Amino acid sequence: MELKCAVQNYHWGRVGSESAVAKFAATAVADFQLDEAKNYAELWMGTHKSGPSVIKDTKETLPDFIQKNPDALGAKVAEKFGGELPFLFKVLSVRQALSIQCHPNKSHAEELHAKFPDRYKDANHKPEIAIALTKFQGLCGFRPLKEIQNFVQKIPELQTLLGDSATQGLLGCKEESYQSELKAAFTSLMRYDADVLKTQLEKLAKRISESSDGDELQKELFTTLNKDFPGDIGCFAIYFLNHVRLEPGEAMYLDANVPHAYLLGDCMECMANSDNVVRAGLTPKFIDADTLVDMVQYKCATAEEQKFVGEKDEDSGVMLFNPHVPDFAVNMIKIASSSDCFSVPVLDSISIIIFTVGTGKYLVSNKVVKEGGLTVVQPYATDDIKTGTVLMLPANKILEIFIENCEEIIAYQAFCAL
């Protein structure tokens, strides 16, 4: 079943036809009209109340369809998640950094929702995976200890924000035992004095702009963030967090309590159904520093170690990104022009598929058992594939893809791997 989906026009999104969201929306959004002056930040595929997908032919919302046809979820998914779709699938086009943030685990989400229901709207966790469609940049997890110590040594303005005790503790700790010192330093950073922050940011900005070794202090990233978020503590947080660069097809998984931010580029994102965000910086929104510093995972690793490596199926060539949470997994499907017909592996879970490259046709079929035990395959749905076509595939359905008039088809499929 083809879906029509919702676009979110957040200010940080890429503008007009520069946005992958706008490119896909030409097919994926009903009656879409491109506005070259508008931000196109996110394309939502799922059942979220702020932008539920709609079945193209019947105009029925996806939540209503699932409620009436729970078998479409698959038996395991329906039982595990109470008859609801457990994930939200997105395309993101990032022009300006999103907030530095963490997401709580399930038990912490329940606790936060009970205490602050106006701030944390639900009781669910919010793990996420981002798969790059273009060159993509983000912040993710704490840098290796030596990198952080090196920045602290080189940046007196950062030392001033941290204070003498936290600075000396961080500089003096060793690889085998650093968590308490790292937490103390990061906590000091997050509990900054606004006047001190303003002064130190101005000093560092001036020094970096005049320095011949500014690149060693993340000159380009610092300058961009300081321009977009003047006076924001996130401009100093980059010296604690890894600057991760993804090539198309590479991914990073954002587990509970991992600090992260998207900086630039286009990506697929799949996440558990939740709106729970604990923010740390690069945002005009509420920063819950006390909650954040207590929940963050103080684990150092390299930028390369923050990447999430998929598993390629040798028979189908499908690349599986499965972070082993029950809520979602993502398949990356590539079909070469030499393929007459590509059969997508059958899943016992509902799935949502978006075609990001290529053109062709699809055929969805049912396996039906006739009287006497004879099994036959009956057509269920068929139509053209364009860039931005979005399908909802009920559990156990057969999907065949026929490539036409292009070099390759690339598609991403979100589902539950239970």
Side-chain angles (χ1 to χ4, degrees):
M1 294 181 177
E2 188 170 346
L3 299 179
K4 293 300 179 181
C5 305
V7 162
Q8 305 296 344
N9 304 105
Y10 306 134
H11 74 279
W12 50 259
R14 283 183 157 163
V15 179
S17 53
E18 293 183 354
S19 168
V21 169
K23 176 184 174 183
F24 301 147
T27 300
V29 176
D31 304 318
F32 179 75
Q33 297 291 323
L34 177 67
D35 182 343
E36 287 290 2
K38 186 175 281 189
N39 300 85
Y40 295 97
E42 297 188 353
L43 176 70
W44 287 14
M45 300 165 279
T47 58
H48 195 288
K49 62 183 179 182
S50 296
S53 297
V54 175
I55 296 171
K56 176 185 174 182
D57 290 338
T58 65
K59 306 300 187 286
E60 185 177 28
T61 68
L62 186 55
D64 287 345
F65 174 83
I66 290 173
Q67 187 176 27
K68 295 174 187 175
N69 303 275
D71 289 350
L73 291 169
K76 292 180 185 177
V77 177
E79 180 179 2
K80 176 74 176 177
F81 296 102
E84 296 186 355
L85 184 72
F87 59 80
L88 179 61
F89 203 24
K90 297 182 181 182
V91 179
L92 272 64
S93 287
V94 181
R95 172 190 60 86
Q96 185 184 77
L98 283 68
S99 61
I100 298 172
Q101 57 189 249
C102 282
H103 305 301
N105 61 30
K106 190 71 168 70
S107 61
H108 193 200
E110 292 169 354
E111 178 187 332
L112 290 172
H113 178 61
K115 288 183 177 178
F116 310 107
D118 56 329
R119 192 183 304 161
Y120 300 103
K121 306 291 187 180
D122 59 77
N124 201 18
H125 65 167
K126 194 174 181 275
E128 302 169 334
I129 193 166
I131 307 169
L133 294 172
T134 61
K135 288 181 180 293
F136 191 82
Q137 298 180 45
L139 301 175
C140 185
F142 285 99
R143 294 175 178 271
L145 179 62
K146 289 188 181 300
E147 283 188 24
I148 298 173
Q149 290 172 326
N150 185 49
F151 281 129
V152 172
Q153 285 176 326
K154 287 185 175 181
I155 304 173
E157 298 86 354
L158 181 53
Q159 295 180 23
T160 299
L161 275 171
L162 298 181
D164 289 341
S165 177
T167 296
Q168 295 309 312
L170 184 58
L171 292 178
C173 64
K174 305 294 183 184
E175 295 280 357
E176 55 269 18
S177 178
Y178 62 82
Q179 283 81 6
S180 61
E181 289 83 2
L182 179 58
K183 180 177 181 179
F186 195 66
T187 299
S188 293
L189 184 70
M190 289 295 108
R191 292 175 176 160
Y192 59 89
D193 177 276
D195 292 334
V196 175
L197 173 61
K198 181 176 183 296
T199 300
Q200 299 309 313
L201 268 177
E202 289 172 353
K203 284 185 178 180
L204 181 57
K206 184 174 186 295
R207 190 160 65 85
I208 284 180
S209 67
E210 296 172 350
S211 173
S212 59
D213 66 346
D215 289 346
E216 293 185 12
L217 300 181
Q218 303 286 294
K219 179 178 181 177
E220 183 178 352
L221 180 56
F222 175 87
T223 302
T224 298
L225 296 180
N226 194 39
K227 174 176 67 72
D228 292 340
F229 302 93
D232 193 291
I233 193 62
C235 298
F236 277 107
I238 65 172
Y239 299 116
F240 280 81
L241 304 179
N242 280 298
H243 187 187
V244 180
R245 295 172 176 84
L246 301 178
E247 293 295 319
E250 291 187 321
M252 59 182 179
Y253 173 57
L254 311 167
D255 203 355
N257 305 325
V258 174
H260 63 274
Y262 297 151
L263 298 175
L264 184 67
D266 301 314
C267 75
M268 299 302 308
E269 183 186 63
C270 199
M271 50 175 271
N273 270 334
S274 173
D275 293 320
N276 285 324
V277 178
V278 183
R279 294 180 178 87
L282 304 182
T283 178
K285 296 181 179 180
F286 175 71
I287 293 177
D288 191 350
D290 291 337
T291 298
L292 183 122
V293 297
D294 283 338
M295 69 184 282
V296 163
Q297 182 183 37
Y298 292 98
K299 178 183 177 182
C300 291
T302 65
E304 195 65 25
E305 288 172 320
Q306 303 297 342
K307 295 180 181 180
F308 187 88
V309 180
E311 303 171 18
K312 189 172 184 177
D313 181 82
E314 294 304 323
D315 293 329
S316 66
V318 171
M319 183 71 76
L320 169 64
F321 297 92
N322 183 4
H324 301 292
V325 291
D327 309 73
F328 62 83
V330 178
N331 279 331
M332 180 172 68
I333 301 167
K334 290 189 176 184
I335 307 168
S337 58
S338 57
S339 173
D340 293 329
C341 172
F342 182 87
S343 296
V344 176
V346 176
L347 300 171
D348 61 2
S349 161
I350 190 172
S351 64
I352 293 178
I353 304 168
I354 181 169
F355 294 87
T356 59
V357 174
T359 54
K361 293 186 182 296
Y362 70 86
L363 172 65
V364 180
S365 305
N366 283 319
K367 274 188 178 179
V368 178
V369 180
K370 297 283 191 177
E371 288 185 19
L374 178 65
T375 299
V376 297
V377 175
Q378 294 183 339
Y380 179 79
T382 185
D383 209 334
D384 293 335
I385 293 169
K386 302 175 184 176
T387 299
T389 295
V390 180
L391 303 180
M392 183 277 294
L393 187 65
N396 303 307
K397 292 288 188 287
I398 300 167
L399 174 62
E400 295 171 296
I401 298 172
F402 305 88
I403 188 168
E404 294 181 351
N405 304 318
C406 63
E407 291 298 315
E408 67 174 347
I409 284 177
I410 300 178
Y412 293 85
Q413 179 183 33
F415 66 102
C416 296
L418 297 178

